[in-house]
Amino acid sequence: MLGAGGVVGQAFHAGVLAALEEDVGWDPRSAEIIVGSSAGSVTGATLRLGVAASDLAARAEGRPVSRASRAFFAIVDGADEALPSPSLTDIVRGWHLPSPALLTRTIRRPWAARPSAIAGTLMPAGRYDLRERTEVLDQIRSGWPPGLWICAARQDDGRRVVFGRDGSPFARLSEAVAASCAIPSYFAPVPIGSRHYIDGGVHSATNADVLVHAGLDVVIVVSPMSAAHGTSRGADAGLRWAMHRRLEREMRRLRAQGTKVVRFEPSAATLAVMGLNAMAEDRSAEVARAARQDAVAHAASTRTARRLLAVAAPRSRAA
């Protein structure tokens, strides 16, 4: 489970996943299911398209990637231009009235209404179309990668949709990733079928509860937007505490089904490196290295090591 977090979140994913591959001995590409939300959808799709976690970290840190991944990065480089900076005017202009679909859903199930999802449906539509950046994914693979679930939210009522899961609307990989990353008032909602979709993070920064009925033994959650133990001293402390608490609730649902959960959240030291701007593109190397140090230390704890053994052991036996 790969959570939201912008460009900085992708670097955090890279560091944690590289630690799992190179220090724990488990290749994240071998996961039965990979779930991605927002930034996590980019990382998840990249893994499912064959790029090793060690190469994600090398890329984030500015080091050479392996020969096996060079072709992938040669293709995506052309679409990897610097993102425009968000503007205050993009946030204050053109707010929407609640749609009939949102009002109906809220009245029928008020306990299920999430303020972040409601706000996402009301916020102005962004001006930048992410499909111009993600369409290269369809050049790399024409069909949907197996075992990849991508979370987005419907713009009209905020309801979560999991692309790639049985029963979900059909979408091309490029569309689903763009939709999952479509931050309200920054990026344009993505039309898929008869609806428009926005960032999956408006429902949850992690969306780990989509795996409740998947029958998995172990779920590994990488959550860049929360904080270890819910503790942060930055200006975003309240947000990170809320994300941590939501993840706690999602984990309880998984554990109630008998699933073991291992989570990786930024420590205080890593949060200091990550900063407040999730879209900053100049700190990926530092974040990836800090995240890896966090992950190695966390994986070495007795309880976490015991849980990770369940996923690392099959690879060891095969070797």
Side-chain angles (χ1 to χ4, degrees), residues 11-12 14-16 57 60-63 270 273 283-296:
F12 184 81
V16 172
E61 296 175 24
R63 296 184 283 108
T270 299
V273 176
R283 58 188 66 162
S284 292
E286 290 182 272
V287 171
R289 285 191 288 266
R292 180 165 183 166
Q293 291 177 356
D294 272 0
V296 169

Side-chain angles (χ1 to χ4, degrees), residues 166-248:
D166 289 345
S168 296
F170 170 79
R172 295 196 301 271
L173 181 60
S174 62
E175 295 173 327
V177 171
S180 187
C181 295
I183 302 170
S185 79
Y186 187 18
F187 296 121
V190 176
I192 299 175
S194 61
R195 293 184 179 269
H196 286 71
Y197 295 87
I198 57 177
D199 196 308
V202 304
H203 181 87
S204 166
T206 43
N207 288 299
D209 55 332
V210 302
L211 293 171
V212 165
H213 300 295
L216 302 175
D217 297 319
V218 181
V219 170
I220 297 173
V221 181
V222 186
S223 177
M225 286 191 67
S226 58
H229 313 295
T231 304
S232 171
R233 297 180 179 178
D236 57 353
L239 173 65
R240 289 191 176 277
W241 178 84
M243 298 299 98
H244 173 83
R245 294 294 296 168
R246 180 168 290 176
L247 176 55
E248 288 271 326

Side-chain angles (χ1 to χ4, degrees), residues 6-32:
V7 175
V8 172
Q10 290 180 47
F12 184 81
H13 290 150
V16 172
L17 296 174
L20 290 173
E21 177 190 322
E22 298 184 316
D23 298 283
V24 174
W26 175 70
D27 188 340
R29 294 175 296 181
S30 67
E32 183 176 343

Side-chain angles (χ1 to χ4, degrees), residues 47-83:
L47 291 172
R48 278 295 187 242
L49 291 174
V51 177
S54 52
D55 281 328
L56 290 177
R59 176 77 167 182
E61 296 175 24
R63 296 184 283 108
V65 300
S66 71
R67 180 177 299 178
S69 295
R70 287 175 194 165
F72 173 89
F73 288 114
I75 293 173
V76 302
D77 273 347
D80 195 23
E81 299 176 359
L83 290 168

